[in-house]
């Protein structure tokens, strides 16, 4: 593991947002969802592609608050322009479990 300075970490802008819509990502090599996430009035609505179809259904995801990196450049993933990177951890079966606050916080709040 390489060490970084606090200044490097502070460059990563991690915010909380609420998932508003979920649809399967058409044309993805691996099953994925296109998430539409509300990051509040400053950042607004952003999209992300997430390979989380094995653990989460669209119904479970809508309304869920998640953490995401909002200052990476957008990437084209199949038919989705992924504007943010939703964060998660791999479980024992290597499935992604989403990182979320343990209680509701205002959309757009930056991680401290």
């Amino acid at each position: 593991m390489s060490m970084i300075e606090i200044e490097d970490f502070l460059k990563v802008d991690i915010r909380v947002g609420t998932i508003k819509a979920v649809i399967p990502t058409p044309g993805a090599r691996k099953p994925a969802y296109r998430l539409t996430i509300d990051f509040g009035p400053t950042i607004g609505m952003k999209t992300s592609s997430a390979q989380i179809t094995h653990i989460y259904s669209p119904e479970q995801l809508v309304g869920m608050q998640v953490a995401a990196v909002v200052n990476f450049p957008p990437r084209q993933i199949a038919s989705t322009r992924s504007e943010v990177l939703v964060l998660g951890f791999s479980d024992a079966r290597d499935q992604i479990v989403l990182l979320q606050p343990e209680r509701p916080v205002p959309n757009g709040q930056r991680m401290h």
Side-chain angles (χ1 to χ4, degrees):
M1 170 177 34
S2 62
M3 303 297 284
I4 64 170
E5 300 296 324
I6 188 68
E7 293 80 18
D8 296 320
F9 176 74
L10 293 175
K11 292 177 186 176
V12 180
D13 192 355
I14 300 172
R15 305 277 179 140
V16 68
T18 299
I19 299 173
K20 296 295 186 178
V22 180
I23 60 170
T25 301
R29 284 181 286 146
K30 295 182 180 179
Y33 292 133
R34 177 188 301 157
L35 309 176
T36 302
I37 306 168
D38 181 2
F39 288 98
T42 304
I43 297 172
M45 302 290 268
K46 299 289 181 183
T47 58
S48 184
S49 180
Q51 294 177 354
I52 54 175
T53 60
H54 290 89
I55 290 184
Y56 300 101
S57 70
E59 297 78 23
Q60 290 173 304
L61 292 167
V62 172
M64 180 185 291
Q65 283 196 304
V66 293
V69 176
V70 299
N71 65 334
F72 283 146
R75 293 181 57 197
Q76 191 68 35
I77 300 174
S79 63
T80 299
R81 183 173 189 255
S82 192
E83 300 171 299
V84 299
L85 175 65
V86 176
L87 301 174
F89 299 97
S90 294
D91 68 8
R93 295 180 306 168
D94 208 28
Q95 303 297 318
I96 300 299
V97 176
L98 295 175
L99 179 63
Q100 49 186 305
E102 57 100 12
R103 64 186 69 179
V105 297
N107 287 336
Q109 286 293 314
R110 186 169 183 167
M111 189 182 80
H112 298 276

